[in-house]
Amino acid sequence: MQIVIIGSGNVAYHLAKAFRLKGIPLAQIFGRNREELGKISEELNVPFSTEHLQDADLYIICVSDNSVENASQLITKKDCLVAHTSGSLPKEILTGEYRKSSFYPLQTFSKSKELDYEKIPFFIEAENDQDQQLLIELASRISENVMESSYEKRKYIHLTAVFACNFVNHLFARAKEISDSQEIPFDYFLPLINETVQKIYEIDPKSAQTGPAVRNDVRVLELHEQLLKDESLEIYKTMNHSIQKMYEL
């Protein structure tokens, strides 16, 4: 099966790397960014182009959500399967006269960060059983965690991921702003962060909650509010209100 990946960003890089590590051949990586495509091509020994999209049986579109529809219009072949990797778009966003599908890896991707691809969940959706099984088998060569998922379910998967990853990382960034303002090395907080994450492997997150809000420690809450301003203060109040509401305090 001839496979082409469209895109040159984080998802495209890691998916191409995962394929190469598992011995899945790639016919081409295609995109607009010649410099990034060249880096991926050199590292993974995969042909690339910014002009000619090679003929393939499967095209996997790994671009930002607002570029998926435009990228899908580049594929004019009718007898092929096309998949996007978005968690928030339906397969119908793909506009060509080909078979449409979704090949969604649930992970945060950065080119500079190594990943254990076997642990990344993949969620698969296709128009027919044959394509569904083909994509499940392909994903299973990369990952131990592969399942079917409708678009309705995938929307909630992506929403959960935003809460569990993007929002949490933003709080890390806000926390680092505070520690930097007081010249406290942020590295000192890494053991606390690691323990917080490790706990939810053994304890339900709701049961693992600690801190002044769940204790309803008004004195500490008011003290912290005096130390904050602007967005950080609003975030602090909103988070504490949410915690107290969850525990009916």
Side-chain angles (χ1 to χ4, degrees), residues 134-239:
L134 184 153
L135 292 177
I136 287 174
E137 291 176 1
L138 179 63
S140 296
R141 293 180 64 181
I142 303 169
S143 170
E144 300 171 354
N145 303 301
V146 180
M147 67 178 291
E148 299 179 14
S149 177
S150 67
Y151 174 53
E152 289 303 313
K153 181 74 70 175
R154 185 157 40 86
K155 286 189 293 187
Y156 284 97
I157 293 168
H158 189 250
L159 175 61
T160 304
V162 169
F163 271 81
C165 173
N166 305 135
F167 288 177
V168 171
N169 188 73
H170 180 66
L171 291 177
F172 290 155
R174 287 292 183 181
K176 189 174 186 299
E177 284 183 344
I178 297 170
S179 68
D180 287 350
S181 73
Q182 300 301 310
E183 299 182 350
I184 304 167
F186 189 68
D187 288 354
Y188 286 10
F189 296 91
L190 296 182
L192 173 66
I193 293 171
N194 289 334
E195 177 61 18
T196 301
V197 173
Q198 289 301 315
K199 271 202 298 188
I200 64 174
Y201 280 84
E202 303 176 18
I203 307 172
D204 183 273
K206 187 174 180 180
S207 300
Q209 187 69 52
T210 62
V214 76
R215 296 194 304 267
N216 199 26
D217 192 332
V218 176
R219 184 191 67 82
V220 174
L221 294 172
E222 290 178 348
L223 172 63
H224 288 173
E225 289 179 8
Q226 293 171 12
L227 300 175
L228 295 168
K229 60 182 180 180
D230 301 328
E231 291 90 353
S232 292
L233 176 58
E234 292 305 311
I235 291 170
Y236 187 82
K237 288 181 176 180
T238 299
M239 293 296 294

Side-chain angles (χ1 to χ4, degrees), residues 22-41:
K22 294 299 181 179
I24 302 170
L26 288 174
Q28 184 189 58
I29 301 180
F30 180 88
R32 295 179 301 178
N33 191 322
R34 175 172 291 275
E35 181 179 357
E36 291 301 317
L37 287 171
K39 292 177 182 177
I40 297 172
S41 175

Side-chain angles (χ1 to χ4, degrees), residues 48-73:
F48 81 92
S49 178
T50 60
E51 298 176 357
H52 174 68
L53 184 63
Q54 185 163 320
D55 183 80
D57 305 298
L58 170 62
Y59 296 90
I60 303 179
I61 299 175
C62 307
V63 299
S64 63
D65 281 9
N66 58 9
S67 299
V68 169
E69 184 174 1
N70 287 338
S72 74
Q73 294 171 359

